[in-house]
Amino acid sequence: QITLKESGPTLVKPTQTLTLTCTFSGFSLSTSGVGVGWIRQPPGKALEWLAIIFWDDNERYSPSLKSRLTITKDTSKNQVVLTMTNMDPVDTATYYCAHRIPAGTYFDYWGQGTLVTVSS
Amino acid sequence: DIQMTQSPSSLSASVGDRVTITCRASQGISNYLAWYQQKPGKGPKLLIYAASTLQSGVPSRFSGSGSGTDFTLTISSLQPEDVATYSCQNYYSAPYTFGQGTKLDLK
C-alpha cells in the first residue's frame, strides 16, 4: 500500500524559505521509473505542478518557479524535500506530494496535503 | 508551456444525467492526458490516464476519450458521490500543467 504524507510549517513569513518534507512508504525511489512530485493549490484555485524528482536523480521544475525551488531525495529515509525561497503571500496554498508511476508523469497516489500560509 | 483549458468551469446536473467535461491542450499532446477527481478538503484522485484508460477501482460510468489537443471526460450516469471538481493534466512534457478545474454539483 502506497502512502505519502507532507510535513512542514503551517505559517511562514514573507521572504522566508519554506521547507516541506514528503515521507512515503510502499515504494522505493530507487526503482526504475518512479518519481515523487510536488503540486500546490491556492485556496479555491487550480492545481499547479511545481517539481518532480526521479529515481535516477533527475529533476524537473516549473519554469516560472525554477529559481526558487530545490527538490532533493533521501532514498534511505524514504523522503523527498522541497524548498522554496523568498516566500510571498501569493504562495499560500495546500502543498501536495504525489507518486509518479514508471509509465508517465501522472500521479496515482497523493498525500493529504498541507496548508501553508504566508503572512507576517 | 502547454496550456490546458477546461470547459465548462462549473456544471450542474441531475442524478442519472450524462455529463461531459472537455479539456483542450494548446498544442498536441498525443494521449498523454490524465483526469483527476477532487472532493472538498481532499487530495486529487486519479480517474483516467493515457486519455482513456480507467484507473483500477474507478467505476465504469467514468470514461475518457480524445487525442492530440481535444479530450473529454464523460460520466454516463451521474451519482451523488460524483459531486467534485475534475481536473485534467498534461504529462506529454514538462511543465506538467493542469487545467483550471470543472466544479460539478447536483441540480
Side-chain angles (χ1 to χ4, degrees):
Chain A
Q1 173 71 5
I2 290 176
T3 64
L4 305 99
K5 187 173 184 179
E6 307 86 353
S7 59
T10 58
L11 179 66
V12 298
K13 290 180 167 47
T15 75
Q16 286 186 336
T17 294
L18 171 68
T19 299
L20 294 173
T21 300
C22 177
T23 303
F24 57 86
S25 64
F27 67 95
S28 172
L29 242 185
S30 59
T31 300
S32 179
V34 172
V36 171
W38 285 93
I39 302 99
R40 71 178 179 180
Q41 186 172 38
K45 296 189 176 181
L47 297 163
E48 179 184 16
W49 174 76
L50 300 177
I52 189 167
I53 191 163
F54 297 95
W55 81 103
D56 58 1
D57 294 327
N58 277 320
E59 306 153 21
R60 296 286 185 274
Y61 295 97
S62 168
S64 62
L65 293 167
K66 185 175 183 178
S67 63
R68 299 173 53 205
L69 294 174
T70 303
I71 190 169
T72 60
K73 66 182 177 73
D74 186 329
T75 304
S76 65
K77 291 184 178 179
N78 282 351
Q79 290 182 333
V80 170
V81 175
L82 181 76
T83 61
M84 180 180 292
T85 61
N86 195 24
M87 293 291 285
D88 182 271
V90 300
D91 296 313
T92 294
T94 296
Y95 288 75
Y96 297 98
C97 62
H99 171 264
R100 182 256 194 197
I101 77 163
T105 303
Y106 57 91
F107 303 102
D108 58 347
Y109 290 92
W110 294 62
Q112 64 191 22
T114 185
L115 175 62
V116 178
T117 302
V118 184
S119 174
S120 55
Chain B
D1 299 3
I2 298 172
Q3 308 302 317
M4 307 301 292
T5 303
Q6 289 181 231
S7 61
S9 296
S10 62
L11 174 61
S12 293
S14 300
V15 173
D17 281 355
R18 182 181 183 88
V19 172
T20 298
I21 297 168
T22 65
C23 177
R24 175 165 289 176
S26 60
Q27 64 188 75
I29 59 171
S30 184
N31 69 334
Y32 292 92
L33 184 102
W35 287 98
Y36 300 89
Q37 176 193 66
Q38 188 176 19
K39 297 184 177 181
K42 301 290 188 181
K45 173 187 175 182
L46 177 66
L47 296 177
I48 287 170
Y49 60 94
S52 61
T53 302
L54 206 63
Q55 173 71 348
S56 175
V58 174
S60 58
R61 62 180 179 274
F62 290 92
S63 64
S65 65
S67 183
T69 60
D70 294 319
F71 303 87
T72 60
L73 171 70
T74 300
I75 307 172
S76 61
S77 178
L78 184 67
Q79 300 302 303
E81 60 266 32
D82 300 335
V83 169
T85 297
Y86 294 84
S87 299
C88 60
Q89 183 218 338
N90 139 60
Y91 61 97
Y92 178 78
S93 64
Y96 303 108
T97 43
F98 289 84
Q100 82 276 18
T102 295
K103 187 176 182 180
L104 173 61
D105 59 25
L106 289 177
K107 192 180 293 183

